[in-house]
Amino acid sequence: MGKVTILLIAIISVLSASLEKSRAEPQVSETAFTSKANAIRLTIATVGPMFGPPTNLYRVGEQMLVTIDMTNLSSQQTYVCVSSDLYQDLPRLTKDGRLLPYTKWQADQLVKAQKDQTCQHEDLPEPMLLKVNEPTVVDSLVLVDDIRLPTGALYWYDPLTPGVYELSLQRRLGCCDGPMIESNKISFEVVP
């Protein structure tokens, strides 16, 4: 009888600690993001290699990075989810009006993640607080990695040839699924 009582007390303690932890951590509901889609502005910007200053001019073979800002336009602070580029971001890069394909590896990973529902089985989400009318850098992505000194970062496109490019991004508000919002459209140039 004493062992059963001790076991019951241990189970109650674990459940109570788990409940306290879930109350302390902000909860990010996938369905809550639907109503937030109109209240959040998504802004992208290109920055220099290794998170250098903002730029719209790159040399062939340089690393090309994009920062992702979100601004909460509502009257109350809110949380958004940050999980992984693979589940949340879909860049759209064009040159001369033609949509450029992702790298083969990235395209294969997108298909695999959707088929296997990888995001649902991994514990990646991280809630991020967006204060009212305060732009917040929530993420970044690597469009192209440096060909001379590769960083090993997961990148979306093969090295770009000289020319002018336009980029926009769709970002999922939920960690794994739910509505997506569209960013501003930016342009940059690649020179020899």
Side-chain angles (χ1 to χ4, degrees):
M1 184 74 165
K3 289 181 182 180
V4 172
T5 305
I6 292 173
L7 181 61
L8 188 55
I9 291 172
I11 291 172
I12 291 171
S13 296
V14 168
L15 290 174
S16 136
S18 151
L19 180 60
E20 286 303 314
K21 183 179 178 190
S22 72
R23 283 185 190 152
E25 293 178 358
Q27 297 297 306
V28 181
S29 163
E30 298 292 335
T31 56
F33 289 119
T34 304
S35 61
K36 292 181 186 180
N38 294 329
I40 295 177
R41 180 176 52 227
L42 180 65
T43 307
I44 58 173
T46 49
V47 294
M50 302 304 292
F51 292 101
T55 187
N56 62 357
L57 185 66
Y58 294 95
R59 296 211 173 275
V60 170
E62 276 187 319
Q63 183 186 56
M64 297 175 193
L65 296 169
V66 175
T67 58
I68 302 169
D69 287 16
M70 288 183 157
T71 305
N72 174 9
L73 304 174
S74 74
S75 59
Q76 294 186 354
Q77 42 185 37
T78 188
Y79 283 92
V80 293
C81 186
V82 177
S83 61
S84 167
D85 289 350
L86 191 59
Y87 313 124
Q88 288 192 292
D89 299 323
L90 286 177
R92 179 180 168 82
L93 184 63
T94 61
K95 180 182 180 187
D96 300 326
R98 287 189 359 245
L99 183 63
L100 299 179
Y102 302 138
T103 64
K104 178 168 177 13
W105 183 88
Q106 190 74 306
D108 290 346
Q109 290 302 308
L110 285 170
V111 169
K112 184 179 185 316
Q114 186 174 16
K115 178 181 168 235
D116 296 346
Q117 294 185 337
T118 309
C119 184
Q120 303 291 345
H121 305 295
E122 293 182 9
D123 190 23
L124 296 174
E126 177 183 328
M128 181 171 281
L129 179 65
L130 293 182
K131 295 180 179 175
V132 176
N133 291 321
E134 193 174 298
T136 304
V137 176
V138 295
D139 211 349
S140 64
L141 62 86
V142 179
L143 287 180
V144 176
D145 201 10
D146 192 299
I147 60 172
R148 291 178 306 271
L149 298 168
T151 63
L154 302 179
Y155 54 94
W156 287 85
Y157 297 96
D158 290 319
L160 302 179
T161 58
V164 175
Y165 294 83
E166 284 192 335
L167 175 70
S168 63
L169 177 80
Q170 285 188 319
R171 182 167 177 94
R172 189 174 314 285
L173 291 177
C175 298
C176 301
D177 54 22
M180 296 187 90
I181 57 176
E182 186 82 22
S183 75
N184 58 315
K185 188 179 279 189
I186 59 173
S187 64
F188 61 89
E189 185 176 2
V190 176
V191 296

